[in-house]
Amino acid sequence: MNSRLVVTFTTLIVFLIAALAVPLGLAYASHRTNRLLLDRRADATRFAELADQAAREADYSGLTAEITRYADLYGAAVRVRDRDGAVRVTAGRFDADDRDATRLAMSGRTTEDLPMMTPFGPASVLLAEPAGRDAQLSGVVLLQAPTDQARQDVWLVWGALAVGALIALTYSTLVARQLARWILRPVAELDRTTQAIAQGRLDARAHPGAGPSELRRLEERFNAMADAVAGAMERQRAFVADASHELRTPLTVLGLRLENLEPHLRAEGTAEHAEAMAELDRLALLVADLLALARVEAGADVEGKVVELEPRLATWREVYAAKGVLLVTDISERAVIPEAAARIADIALDNAQKFVPEGGTVTVTLADGVLRVTDDGPGLSEEERAEALGRFWRSGAHANVPGSGLGLAIAAELARACGATLRLLPADPHGLIVELRLPAP
């Protein structure tokens, strides 16, 4: 946007400078052309008077000497024709076509205008002046004058205007850049702030400073909105954390009491008691996961330390061996990853051991900063993978599998907290890949 504003401002400035410089340059060229016309017409008028006198006296010697000196001095060419069109006197190199000018002068009219002088031409101009008065015309004086000095003057003025316009454009562009930066400073500040919030820094705020008052007010209102949203989220997290924490003790007590009731149950109540204990375990797992999610969202359980991955996988090998599932690892013995990434691996391995049937295989790899947990279980469809990272999501085909539906949601929050990217991909020919792309160190 900054570049577009600078281009817009610069374009307007170019039009403004052109609107000032071009008419000024044309006005000077017209003025210099008129000056040349007046100067040379005065000379032509003087020669016309001398030609008229020479025609009456039938002596052109004085006129010849006069126009010869003039042609030598100014580099011009002068030709005098009588009333019949015959050339009486000529001096200098006269190469212009004078037929139209001669007819104009023979009608008693003088040259009133000339082509506008520019640095590129014309190289010479032709003026015609009738000799004599009214119907008593005795001839015509034709003056072909060079325009070198006039064109040079126009060139100097146009060059000065061009240099001035270039200097003005340069300074105006610098001012336009500063103006665009000043206008967009609040926008850039809001962009940095929204990016920081999107990355999980919910305490990031814009810092109103320079810029238009309307955009500064927008920064203040954005900060107020961010405070309100962050406050609401914090209250929500606090409520979930407090409720989960407060529920743990009653659930524990309830579990103990149900266990104490078991010896006093009749045989027909044993099944109902087992179902009640299973539901209690599921509720306790849900509360524990809710508490874990709330702590992750608050950043309480996300630390910057790194851990070795191999010792954690050793524990999972025992679990997988007990279920008849093969756990294959392709990582370095000394490989270390952020603790949040290790917890994501635990969540992925816990899910895999629930869904991979006996005889299946789960593979863990770590290469080029990418951690993958691949299983050959039933996997998920494309629509299910798109929804699986949401809270409380459970596939309809896995309704009878223990779980709270919060595991992958916790993994997604952990990935966001450590700056990683979590994706669910299909395995070939079937199964699921949990891919965690770690940030560059």
Side-chain angles (χ1 to χ4, degrees):
M1 180 177 279
N2 184 75
S3 300
R4 291 195 294 270
L5 273 180
V6 171
V7 170
T8 301
F9 290 155
T10 304
T11 302
L12 292 176
I13 292 168
V14 167
F15 281 121
L16 178 60
I17 292 176
L20 294 175
V22 172
L24 186 59
L26 294 177
Y28 179 78
S30 176
H31 165 73
R32 190 63 182 85
T33 302
N34 290 333
R35 219 176 83 192
L36 176 65
L37 173 64
L38 293 176
D39 292 343
R40 296 298 170 260
R41 191 162 63 184
D43 296 337
T45 301
R46 184 169 63 86
F47 292 145
E49 292 174 353
L50 293 176
D52 183 51
Q53 182 180 353
R56 288 196 306 268
E57 297 174 356
D59 181 9
Y60 289 93
S61 58
L63 176 62
T64 302
E66 183 69 22
I67 64 174
T68 300
R69 285 195 300 271
Y70 181 85
D72 294 339
L73 179 62
Y74 293 104
V78 182
R79 176 178 291 175
V80 179
R81 293 181 182 271
D82 60 18
R83 61 189 304 170
D84 296 325
V87 177
R88 289 295 184 176
V89 179
T90 185
R93 181 180 177 182
F94 200 102
D95 54 9
D97 184 2
D98 62 349
R99 287 175 294 181
D100 293 339
T102 299
R103 282 195 296 269
L104 177 69
M106 286 297 185
S107 65
R109 290 178 293 171
T110 185
T111 302
E112 296 294 339
D113 53 34
L114 296 176
M116 181 178 292
M117 294 296 105
T118 71
F120 316 104
S124 63
V125 292
L126 180 63
L127 290 84
E129 188 71 22
R133 294 291 181 270
D134 300 328
Q136 299 179 352
L137 291 179
S138 58
V140 176
V141 174
L142 301 167
L143 174 60
Q144 183 180 351
T147 61
D148 296 343
Q149 185 61 47
R151 287 188 292 118
Q152 183 179 2
D153 293 344
V154 173
W155 174 259
L156 290 175
V157 171
W158 282 18
L161 287 173
V163 171
L166 184 60
I167 294 174
L169 179 61
T170 301
Y171 280 102
S172 299
T173 301
L174 294 176
V175 172
R177 289 175 63 88
Q178 294 297 326
L179 179 61
R181 189 176 294 114
W182 178 78
I183 292 175
L184 293 178
R185 196 215 66 82
V187 178
E189 181 68 18
L190 285 173
D191 180 63
R192 286 192 295 269
T193 305
T194 52
Q195 183 179 7
I197 292 176
Q199 292 173 350
R201 292 172 47 203
L202 298 181
D203 59 339
R205 295 293 181 271
H207 302 287
S213 58
E214 295 83 359
L215 292 180
R216 292 201 303 272
R217 285 197 300 270
L218 179 62
E219 286 183 302
E220 295 171 357
R221 291 168 183 171
F222 177 85
N223 286 341
M225 179 192 69
D227 289 339
V229 172
M233 293 180 65
E234 181 60 32
R235 288 190 295 272
Q236 180 185 11
R237 282 196 296 265
F239 170 76
V240 172
D242 292 344
S244 301
H245 181 74
E246 293 299 325
L247 284 172
R248 295 176 70 180
T249 301
L251 287 175
T252 303
V253 173
L254 180 59
L256 291 175
R257 290 185 177 179
L258 286 176
E259 290 178 359
N260 292 334
L261 285 175
E262 187 175 7
H264 306 287
L265 294 175
R266 296 178 181 178
E268 59 270 19
T270 304
E272 294 291 337
H273 180 268
E275 291 180 6
M277 291 299 297
E279 289 297 322
L280 184 63
D281 291 340
R282 191 183 71 82
L283 184 57
L285 176 62
L286 177 61
V287 170
D289 285 346
L290 279 173
L291 183 59
L293 180 60
R295 292 176 63 84
V296 170
E297 288 180 336
D301 281 358
V302 182
E303 299 179 359
K305 67 179 182 178
V306 295
V307 297
E308 292 186 4
L309 184 57
E310 181 59 33
R312 302 177 82 109
L313 295 179
T315 303
W316 283 106
R317 285 193 184 93
E318 299 177 3
V319 176
Y320 274 64
K323 290 181 172 290
V325 178
L326 178 63
L327 178 61
V328 179
T329 60
D330 183 14
I331 62 171
S332 171
E333 293 183 0
R334 296 291 182 180
V336 294
I337 58 175
E339 185 178 13
R343 293 177 61 185
I344 294 173
D346 289 339
I347 293 172
L349 289 169
D350 181 57
N351 283 341
Q353 61 91 18
K354 295 177 183 177
F355 302 109
V356 176
E358 184 177 354
T361 303
V362 176
T363 305
V364 181
T365 62
L366 176 62
D368 299 326
V370 180
L371 174 66
R372 291 187 179 91
V373 178
T374 306
D375 66 64
D376 58 0
L380 298 173
S381 66
E382 183 177 355
E383 293 78 9
E384 290 175 329
R385 291 196 304 273
E387 300 175 358
L389 297 179
R391 301 181 184 185
F392 300 107
W393 182 88
R394 288 173 63 83
S395 172
H398 306 151
N400 59 340
V401 179
S404 62
L406 290 173
L408 287 177
I410 295 174
E413 287 296 326
L414 287 169
R416 180 191 59 78
C418 68
T421 303
L422 180 65
R423 295 195 304 166
L424 303 181
L425 305 172
D428 187 26
H430 55 81
L432 183 68
I433 301 175
V434 179
E435 179 185 273
L436 180 68
R437 191 170 295 273
L438 300 172

